Amino acid sequence: MKKVFVRFAALFLAAAICVCGTWTVSAASSNRMVRVGLAYGSGALVNANLENNTGYGSGYRFGYYDDSLNFVELGRTSQSQTALTMIKTQNTWVLKNGSSYTYSNSDNGGSLIGCYHIQMPGSYSDYSSASAAAAGYSDGFVAWIDGEYQVRTGAYATKEDAQAALGGGEGTVVGTSSYGVNVTATGSTQILFQFDGGSARALGIMPDVTGAGTVRTWFKGYRYYGGFRYERINGGNLTVVNIVDMETYIKGVVPYEMSNSWPLEALKAQAICARSYAYNNIQQNKHKSYHFDVCNTTDCQVYCGAGSNSSSYQANARTDQAVEATAGQYGWYDGSVIEAYYSASHGGASESVANVWGSSLSTYPYLCGVTDPYEADMADKNSYSSWTVSYTTAQLTSRLQSKGYGVGTSVSSLTLTYSDLGNVIAVKVNFENGKSNTFKPTTIRSVFGVSSIRFNVNGQGAGSGSSSGSGSASGNLPVNGSGSLSDQDSYSVISGSGSISSVQRDDLYAISGSGAVDKVDSQNSSGGGSGTPSGTTVQVSGSSYSFNGSGNGHQLGMSQWGAYAMANRGYTYDEIIEFYYPGTYVK
Ligand SMILES: [Zn+2]
């Protein structure tokens, strides 16, 4: 789809101006480092364990990440050290619990790692000399305190205990700041390394001291590539961040957003979506208070690195290939990386972002919604290809009342409003007392307990109602008497030379017969004008309400089952992207 150049240039300029941070549009293809939050906020940890994935590296390096996210090594374990536990420099008790260990900052009956130590006189210029000196004490360890290597011994609960242990010997009793972190051997009270960089620098751990080709490390049931950072934000528990390059990050997203057994072209399309979505997530910088770029949940995108031991929940050669084959590629619209929203299944048509979220189509012209002729191919595999949710009137009334609607009355009928694409964009619940509540797509799924906004009720749906719009419901317009211009979610203009270009509704003005100029309402373009979405409406009443539908998710952008179907039909990943996000291209 070709765009008018002037508009392209204007949008490109606007996009270039609003880019913030250090990552510009032109640099989107660079394989920058990504900080992925694994444990943070209320999930920050008292103790954080790491274990080498056998065969993928041995031992660990200690250090920190500089401002460019380069790892600066300060020290290292031997190759035989396979399991580490990072703890705060607070009194911490370690209790053996079967084959694992429980760490607590209050006495759990286990062994104590205290927060007071004896610091030996002098400082050291490097780790090896400090380490050699520490080895002269049975409980000695190397500490790196604000840029200085020290040798410390012991780990006492109180200053007095440390003072008593010191007696008349040489050294000074010390603690750390509230930003300190100890590296210990898992299950033991042995401190291997103590790090205190104040609020400016956090401990970094980079697995492997052998130079292994591929390094992977277990953390909380998943294997991750790259390094880890342990930060006590405001002196709190450990915020754990995995630091990897963009392509490695995407390899850790694709298999958890789409099954690793799916066709390669569908997985490649998923990689484009994940990378584009990540780009915009990083730009938004919403986790900056935790000092990382993206979290590992559906809030951003599910990320589990190389995955668990389950073959169905891990990266494999196919998912890695999908990422490598599309490395550095994003979905673009007019010079900006697209907001590549996707959901599992649209059930036949995606929907305009204007109808789903009330967002402007001029901001997201490619989230205009498309009729999907492919997804139905997968009906036998897609458990959401058809679903039914039924309520008696009493049950529906009770469900609504539990959410605060229709208290003291009962449901008398439902008025469903359908978009041109056949999705439900409003449900008005009419109550016996004459009052009503209207629900939009942002709440329809949760209020009615349905998995998509593509449904009919008691068999009455898009095809059975009346159109409140002034034009045809399909949006097809005759062109030059013979052709047909099918454009369901935006208007097109035909120039004097006969070329056709699309115009966004938000930019559209109409001149009436009397000469008055009015902006066309982007939410009500087919002429309803009453403040509620226009389109086909149907009214349903009865002693029960049976919602029969298809699809699962918010219905924006790519359908994952549709991508599977398109790949099966021989479409390539860029064709899949360009179909679900009209007007975009992959680059
Ligand atoms: Zn997030």
Side-chain angles (χ1 to χ4, degrees), residues 169-497:
E170 63 170 7
T172 322
V173 172
V174 292
T176 63
S177 81
S178 60
Y179 298 101
V181 177
N182 285 328
V183 179
T184 71
T186 301
S188 112
T189 57
Q190 182 193 359
I191 296 174
L192 300 173
F193 185 66
Q194 185 172 74
F195 181 97
D196 187 355
S199 61
R201 284 194 179 128
L203 171 71
I205 298 284
M206 185 65 87
D208 186 49
V209 295
T210 67
T214 306
V215 174
R216 288 197 313 223
T217 313
W218 288 101
F219 172 74
K220 283 190 162 292
Y222 299 106
R223 297 160 299 165
Y224 295 93
Y225 298 104
F228 300 84
R229 194 181 69 193
Y230 302 86
E231 186 172 9
R232 294 178 63 186
I233 295 172
N234 299 322
N237 282 344
L238 300 170
T239 295
V240 183
V241 173
N242 182 210
I243 298 180
V244 290
D245 64 80
M246 179 62 132
E247 296 304 325
T248 302
Y249 166 68
I250 299 300
K251 282 183 181 176
V253 170
V254 168
Y256 315 104
E257 296 286 353
M258 182 178 273
S259 168
N260 62 17
S261 65
W262 281 24
L264 183 61
E265 292 303 312
L267 288 164
K268 286 183 190 173
Q270 184 66 49
I272 297 292
C273 288
R275 201 178 286 112
S276 304
Y277 192 73
Y279 171 89
N280 285 303
N281 252 306
I282 291 167
Q283 294 295 303
Q284 288 159 13
N285 207 9
K286 64 180 169 180
H287 292 299
K288 67 179 173 192
S289 63
Y290 294 122
H291 306 169
F292 57 75
D293 300 306
V294 286
C295 72
N296 62 343
T297 72
T298 52
D299 172 70
C300 287
Q301 298 187 100
V302 173
Y303 169 79
C304 298
S308 69
N309 262 338
S310 161
S311 61
S312 64
Y313 207 69
Q314 59 180 230
N316 61 16
R318 185 200 297 266
T319 61
D320 282 356
Q321 187 189 346
V323 177
E324 287 163 13
T326 62
Q329 296 181 12
Y330 295 79
W332 295 82
Y333 186 93
D334 276 4
S336 295
V337 175
I338 63 173
E339 293 274 6
Y341 296 105
Y342 53 88
S343 56
S345 166
H346 296 330
S350 56
E351 186 50 65
S352 161
V353 72
N355 286 331
V356 175
W357 286 342
S359 308
S360 167
L361 261 180
S362 62
T363 308
Y364 306 107
Y366 47 86
L367 295 177
C368 53
V370 294
T371 298
D372 185 340
Y374 308 111
E375 199 187 291
D377 292 0
M378 309 310 301
D380 58 331
K381 289 188 174 177
N382 174 10
S383 59
Y384 291 96
S385 63
S386 174
W387 47 257
T388 300
V389 176
S390 297
Y391 303 101
T392 63
T393 298
Q395 287 169 336
L396 184 57
T397 298
S398 166
R399 181 180 178 92
L400 289 162
Q401 287 176 345
S402 73
K403 297 172 187 294
Y405 306 107
V407 175
T409 182
S410 66
V411 174
S412 73
S413 67
L414 302 180
T415 306
L416 311 172
T417 303
Y418 286 89
S419 72
D420 291 346
L421 287 159
N423 297 309
V424 180
I425 53 176
V427 179
K428 184 180 175 193
V429 183
N430 306 295
F431 294 103
E432 294 288 358
N433 66 1
K435 294 185 175 171
S436 66
N437 286 109
T438 299
F439 300 97
K440 299 291 185 63
T442 44
T443 52
I444 286 171
R445 287 185 292 148
S446 60
V447 166
F448 298 98
V450 295
S451 60
S452 78
I453 56 168
R454 194 166 185 81
F455 56 83
N456 64 53
V457 179
N458 295 351
Q460 293 184 261
S464 52
S466 62
S467 170
S468 65
S470 54
S472 72
S474 71
N476 291 335
L477 304 167
V479 178
N480 292 339
S482 57
S484 177
L485 181 64
S486 177
D487 195 341
Q488 306 209 343
D489 229 346
S490 65
Y491 289 94
S492 298
V493 293
I494 305 168
S495 75
S497 66

